[in-house]
């Protein structure tokens, strides 16, 4: 670490702070101000009174809370057994189960929602079979139940991943001691294992709550509008940018996102979850009894069927000519893909450009923030990290509303018009929304790089700039790539901000095209085909990054 901050470091930090202020802080503050403004320069709470005076908005508020909480509960029921079985028992195919368990994250929830309707809807495949066999119809996808079903199935991997890591970090001696004292089975899990893994569970559960509470695309695709995010979008797009209730909804969404994160941290405060592990030894895996094996494999098979059903459904729909009131499509065709590549190829290119630019901006800023925070004594540098992380609590629909409010009159000469009418607003929104992922990845990579390596390079005559270029950045390549890929694949399927900021179809990305296609029965085939293209892009990006990292690891292992 340098003895004192340099002018260059201060200038770079100032530029990043200006970017965050212009495209995150000020737009959000503009939304908050309108929610409290009385129109005469004063402050009022009358808009909030008007919000709770409208029965539809009150219903939407409670529905959003209910859907988010219920989604966390259902996601927990799905994830907890899988995490426990795969980490504590000798389970064949445990690695494959954990790999398949994260597949829902590859597909955008609003894309999977259409496939889930076709499979689990009132006239979907499952209910048609249940009607023929048992004469019953189960309302899997009716109203709020459908939103909960789709959201829980899509976001449960957040709990699965965090809980699996937490279980792996528990000192096996703790379980052995509990077993020696007579704790076994569910009692062992309830009294010892789960409490010690609580930090991982809370982290995953709070993330699921925030994601579901803020989601716009899934309720809209399922035609469920009595929730906060759809109401904010509908009021701004139908009643205009001046409607104060749209801003009130936005403030409530921000408040509950922040509240969920704060409560998750508060719930663990003052409690000690640390254990002293014996050389990092993993907990011994136990054998499954016959009954446990039936329960474990049965539950895992059921979950994997649900996990794979949206992917299978959207794939079948993309090749279907007719799929209505039948278990599987009645006829197949390639026409949907022809339509997509003929009419929507521009959207595919736009997605690659927008997501690529956003990811590039994120890794540049993320790497710089990580370096400023960890390697310099710059005063106030922690605020850069805090400012970037704050984007996690800002719903996409809120950021979109803030941009429309703040930048609608901002003319950019070289763009030929207002910033909100230009394509550049989309990469900016994507980069701000995904910046926390890049910052976390780059920070983690730099934390694993000892400062003595940089000091050695400088002692040998390398300048600070050359040290960063030749030592720091190459050794951070893994974290930088992880941040780029995460930002890219999540930006490629962003819908909330896109719906508000895409000014024309010619400038729109794939997520906007998928949503437009899905608005009509006739367009669902091409919409599914475009969804498959989006999934392929995400999968290829993930695979390419894994291959790159594997290649780097192999090169490092072969070096003398």
């Amino acid at each position: 670490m340098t003895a004192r901050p340099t002018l260059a470091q201060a200038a770079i930090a100032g530029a990043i702070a200006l970017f965050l202020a212009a495209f995150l802080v000020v737009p959000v503050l503009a939304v908050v101000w309108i929610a409290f403004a009385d129109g005469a320069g004063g402050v009022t709470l009358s808009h909030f009174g008007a919000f709770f005076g409208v029965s539809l908005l009150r219903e939407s508020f409670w529905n959003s809370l209910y859907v988010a909480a219920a989604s966390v509960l259902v996601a927990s029921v799905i994830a907890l057994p899988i995490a426990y079985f795969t980490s504590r028992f000798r389970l064949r195919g445990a690695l494959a189960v954990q790999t398949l368990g994260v597949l829902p994250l590859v597909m955008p929830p609003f894309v999977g929602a259409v496939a889930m309707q076709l499979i689990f809807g009132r006239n979907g495949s499952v209910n048609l079979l249940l009607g023929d066999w048992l004469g019953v119809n189960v309302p899997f996808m009716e109203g709020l139940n459908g939103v909960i079903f789709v959201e829980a199935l899509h976001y449960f991997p957040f709990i699965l991943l965090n809980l699996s890591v937490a279980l792996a970090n528990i000192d096996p001696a703790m379980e052995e001691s509990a077993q020696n004292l007579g704790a076994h089975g569910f009692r062992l899990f309830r009294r010892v294992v789960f409490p010690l893994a609580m930090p991982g569970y809370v982290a995953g559960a709070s993330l699921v709550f925030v994601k579901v509470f803020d989601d716009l695309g899934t309720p809209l695709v399922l035609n469920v509008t009595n929730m906060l995010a759809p109401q904010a979008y509908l009021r701004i797009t139908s009643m205009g940018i001046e409607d104060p209730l749209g801003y009130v909804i936005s403030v409530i969404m921000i408040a509950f996102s922040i509240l969920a994160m704060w409560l998750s941290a508060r719930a663990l405060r003052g409690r000690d979850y640390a254990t002293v592990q014996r050389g990092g030894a993993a907990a011994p895996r136990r054998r499954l009894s016959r009954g446990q094996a039936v329960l474990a494999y049965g539950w895992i098979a059921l979950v994997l069927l649900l996990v794979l059903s949206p992917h299978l459904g959207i794939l079948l729909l993309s090749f279907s000519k007719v799929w209505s009131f039948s278990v599987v499509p009645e006829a197949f065709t390639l026409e949907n893909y022809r339509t997509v590549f003929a009419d929507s190829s521009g959207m595919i290119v736009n997605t690659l450009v927008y997501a690529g630019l956003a990811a590039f901006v994120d890794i540049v800023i993320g790497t710089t923030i990580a370096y400023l925070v960890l390697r310099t004594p710059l005063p106030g540098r922690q605020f850069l990290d805090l400012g970037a992380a704050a984007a996690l609590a800002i719903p996409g629909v809120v950021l979109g509303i803030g941009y429309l409010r703040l930048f609608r009159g901002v003319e950019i000469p070289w763009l030929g018009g207002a910033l909100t009418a230009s394509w550049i607003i989309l990469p900016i929104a994507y980069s701000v929304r995904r910046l926390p992922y890049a910052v976390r990845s780059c920070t983690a990579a730099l934390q694993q790089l000892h400062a003595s390596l940089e000091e050695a390079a400088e002692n040998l005559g390398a300048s600070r700039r050359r040290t960063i270029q030749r030592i720091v950045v190459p050794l951070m390549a893994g974290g930088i790539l992880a941040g780029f890929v995460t930002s890219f694949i999540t930006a490629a399927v962003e819908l909330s901000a896109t719906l508000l900021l895409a000014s024309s179809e010619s400038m729109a990305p794939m997520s906007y095209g998928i949503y437009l296609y899905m608005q009509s029965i006739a367009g669902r085939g091409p919409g599914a085909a475009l969804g498959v293209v989006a999934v392929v892009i995400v999968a290829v990006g993930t695979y390419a990054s894994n291959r790159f990292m594997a290649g780097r690891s192999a090169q490092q292992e072969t070096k003398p």
Side-chain angles (χ1 to χ4, degrees):
M1 183 179 287
T2 57
R4 57 182 179 179
T6 65
L7 183 61
Q9 292 169 354
I12 292 172
I16 294 175
L18 185 61
F19 175 84
L20 292 174
F23 297 111
L24 177 62
V25 178
V26 176
V28 172
L29 289 180
V31 170
V32 174
W33 168 249
I34 298 301
F36 288 96
D38 62 2
V43 176
T44 180
L45 294 176
S46 61
H47 300 321
F48 287 85
F51 170 88
F52 287 104
V54 178
S55 59
L56 174 59
L57 297 182
R58 288 200 310 272
E59 179 187 3
S60 299
F61 172 74
W62 292 114
N63 284 348
S64 290
L65 285 179
Y66 165 70
V67 168
S71 296
V72 170
L73 178 61
V74 176
S76 301
V77 170
I78 295 173
L80 282 172
I82 295 179
Y84 187 61
F85 286 141
T86 55
S87 64
R88 287 297 182 269
F89 293 94
R90 297 178 185 176
L91 198 70
R92 290 184 179 179
L95 181 59
V97 170
Q98 290 178 332
T99 302
L100 291 173
V102 300
L103 273 182
L105 296 179
V106 176
M107 178 180 289
F110 68 93
V111 176
V114 177
M116 298 292 279
Q117 276 186 317
L118 293 169
I119 296 174
F120 295 100
R122 180 183 295 273
N123 297 306
S125 304
V126 172
N127 272 319
L128 288 176
L129 292 174
L130 289 176
D132 290 340
W133 296 344
L134 304 175
V136 299
N137 190 290
V138 181
F140 294 107
M141 298 295 295
E142 298 296 320
L144 298 178
N145 289 339
V147 179
I148 294 169
F149 190 30
V150 173
E151 301 280 24
L153 190 59
H154 180 77
Y155 288 118
F156 87 87
F158 286 129
I159 297 178
L160 176 63
L161 292 171
N162 284 280
L163 188 59
S164 295
V165 172
L167 288 171
N169 290 333
I170 295 177
D171 186 352
M174 303 290 288
E175 291 184 61
E176 292 172 0
S177 299
Q179 288 174 319
N180 292 334
L181 293 172
H184 298 282
F186 182 71
R187 181 179 176 82
L188 175 65
F189 174 80
R190 180 173 60 88
R191 299 295 298 273
V192 178
V193 177
F194 185 66
L196 289 175
M198 186 64 73
Y201 172 74
V202 170
S206 62
L207 193 54
V208 172
F209 183 93
V210 170
K211 289 288 187 180
V212 175
F213 193 81
D214 297 344
D215 189 23
L216 171 64
T218 302
L220 283 182
V221 168
L222 294 177
N223 199 30
V224 176
T225 59
N226 53 344
M227 294 177 63
L228 285 182
Q231 281 300 311
Y233 168 73
L234 293 173
R235 292 195 73 92
I236 293 297
T237 55
S238 62
M239 298 187 180
I241 198 71
E242 301 298 333
D243 177 45
L245 293 186
Y247 295 90
V248 171
I249 298 172
S250 299
V251 169
I252 292 174
M253 292 175 67
I254 295 172
F256 272 87
S257 295
I258 296 174
L259 180 64
M261 293 181 176
W262 179 79
L263 287 177
S264 68
R266 182 73 177 178
L268 303 177
R269 186 176 300 173
R271 301 183 182 184
D272 187 7
Y273 296 90
T275 61
V276 180
Q277 299 194 30
R278 302 178 310 188
R285 295 177 184 266
R286 304 188 292 275
R287 289 185 179 275
L288 290 166
S289 66
R290 186 179 298 274
Q292 289 174 333
V294 171
L295 177 63
Y297 284 108
W299 182 253
I300 289 171
L302 176 62
V303 170
L304 291 183
L305 282 174
L306 292 174
V307 165
L308 296 174
S309 61
H311 300 76
L312 178 61
I314 208 71
L315 184 63
L316 288 175
L317 180 59
S318 70
F319 287 105
S320 69
K321 190 173 184 179
V322 179
W323 191 359
S324 180
F325 297 95
S326 60
V327 176
V328 295
E330 300 172 16
F332 293 91
T333 180
L334 292 174
E335 190 60 34
N336 295 327
Y337 286 92
R338 294 192 188 97
T339 300
V340 163
F341 288 113
D343 300 340
S344 305
S345 58
M347 291 184 175
I348 298 174
V349 174
N350 289 344
T351 299
L352 297 174
V353 172
Y354 299 167
L357 283 174
F360 177 75
V361 170
D362 283 344
I363 62 166
V364 171
I365 296 179
T367 303
T368 305
I369 289 177
Y371 189 84
L372 291 174
V373 171
L374 297 177
R375 293 291 194 269
T376 74
L378 196 67
R381 61 190 183 280
Q382 298 294 342
F383 287 103
L384 294 177
D385 188 30
L386 182 62
L392 280 175
I394 308 302
V397 66
V398 174
L399 194 65
I401 292 172
Y403 282 8
L404 290 177
R405 178 76 191 185
L406 192 65
F407 299 127
R408 58 178 175 167
V410 177
E411 298 288 333
I412 308 296
W414 58 273
L415 292 177
L419 182 58
T420 52
S422 168
W423 64 271
I424 198 69
I425 195 68
L426 288 168
I428 291 173
Y430 296 165
S431 63
V432 170
R433 291 264 290 154
R434 268 63 196 179
L435 182 57
Y437 304 143
V439 172
R440 294 278 71 78
S441 295
C442 295
T443 299
L446 189 56
Q447 284 174 331
Q448 294 178 312
L449 176 61
H450 202 280
S452 61
L453 295 174
E454 300 165 57
E455 294 169 359
E458 292 181 3
N459 289 337
L460 292 173
S463 65
R464 170 61 60 177
R465 179 178 178 180
R466 185 173 177 82
T467 299
I468 293 174
Q469 291 176 341
R470 300 296 298 274
I471 304 295
V472 178
V473 172
L475 291 177
M476 288 178 61
I480 292 173
L481 179 63
F484 181 91
V485 171
T486 304
S487 297
F488 179 88
I489 64 179
T490 52
V493 293
E494 164 71 31
L495 181 63
S496 298
T498 303
L499 286 179
L500 285 163
L501 298 175
S503 56
S504 66
E505 290 188 28
S506 63
M507 295 180 182
M510 283 190 298
S511 57
Y512 187 82
I514 294 169
Y515 176 75
L516 290 183
Y517 276 126
M518 294 302 184
Q519 297 309 297
S520 68
I521 298 297
R524 287 191 169 184
L530 196 55
V532 170
V533 173
V535 170
V536 168
I537 289 175
V538 170
V540 168
T542 304
Y543 174 77
S545 67
N546 290 335
R547 283 297 299 264
F548 176 81
M549 290 308 302
R552 282 184 59 86
S553 298
Q555 285 180 345
Q556 291 174 356
E557 290 176 1
T558 57
K559 287 181 179 180

